[in-house]
Amino acid sequence: MNPNNLRYSKNHEWICMPDDKNNAYVGITHFAQNELGDIVYLDIEDSIIGEKIKAENSFGTIEAVKTVSDLFMPISGYILEINNQLLSKPELINKISYCEGWIIRIKILEFKEYDKLMSYTEYQKYIHKSM
């Protein structure tokens, strides 16, 4: 996953839609993990697998040494899978927030929501404005 080929939400989640265009991977951006600091815990219930979650709704939390933040859906979808490797080693997000750092895999419900997310260039402008 190349960060230039991903889409980004204002909540600092990224989404990657591979070739099959039905399923996508969701994670947090490098900027977000850097702002959070050392990540120590992901709280995502297995019971969300198969659940439909609308865009901008929370699907879990991420805990760093000094803070806890909600994880938000960038677009509406069904939860297909949780990256179990991160549940046992959440600190990997600090090392690789893209690629193996995906948090959930979803089935996309609203492709027009995907099209409304920011490109890499737009996201870079967005984070520099908020600094």
Side-chain angles (χ1 to χ4, degrees), residues 1-15:
M1 287 179 220
N2 177 338
N4 288 316
N5 297 335
L6 307 176
R7 293 295 210 163
Y8 300 87
S9 74
K10 291 182 178 180
N11 292 316
H12 306 286
E13 278 85 22
W14 58 261
I15 186 168

Side-chain angles (χ1 to χ4, degrees), residues 53-79:
I53 302 179
K54 292 188 177 199
E56 299 185 17
N57 286 350
S58 175
F59 64 86
T61 60
I62 187 166
E63 184 176 336
V65 173
K66 296 183 180 181
T67 190
V68 176
S69 292
D70 284 326
L71 294 164
F72 296 100
M73 290 288 283
I75 63 174
S76 300
Y78 286 102
I79 308 296

Side-chain angles (χ1 to χ4, degrees), residues 15-67:
I15 186 168
C16 172
M17 189 167 42
D19 295 336
D20 68 13
K21 300 208 184 231
N22 267 335
N23 300 330
Y25 293 93
V26 175
I28 66 166
T29 66
H30 178 74
F31 174 80
Q33 70 77 27
N34 193 49
E35 290 291 304
L36 288 169
D38 293 335
I39 296 169
V40 296
Y41 186 68
L42 284 175
D43 186 13
I44 305 170
E45 299 295 326
D46 282 338
S47 61
I48 70 164
I49 295 175
E51 292 292 316
K52 175 183 172 182
I53 302 179
K54 292 188 177 199
E56 299 185 17
N57 286 350
S58 175
F59 64 86
T61 60
I62 187 166
E63 184 176 336
V65 173
K66 296 183 180 181
T67 190

Side-chain angles (χ1 to χ4, degrees), residues 95-127:
K95 295 176 184 165
I96 46 172
S97 53
Y98 302 105
C99 299
E100 293 89 13
W102 63 272
I103 298 172
I104 57 171
R105 186 170 63 91
I106 66 170
K107 179 177 181 175
I108 298 171
L109 292 176
E110 296 290 337
F111 289 96
K112 59 187 171 205
E113 291 176 354
Y114 179 85
D115 293 335
K116 292 179 182 176
L117 294 172
M118 292 179 273
S119 68
Y120 180 75
T121 303
E122 292 166 331
Y123 180 69
Q124 291 301 308
K125 289 177 186 174
Y126 175 75
I127 60 177

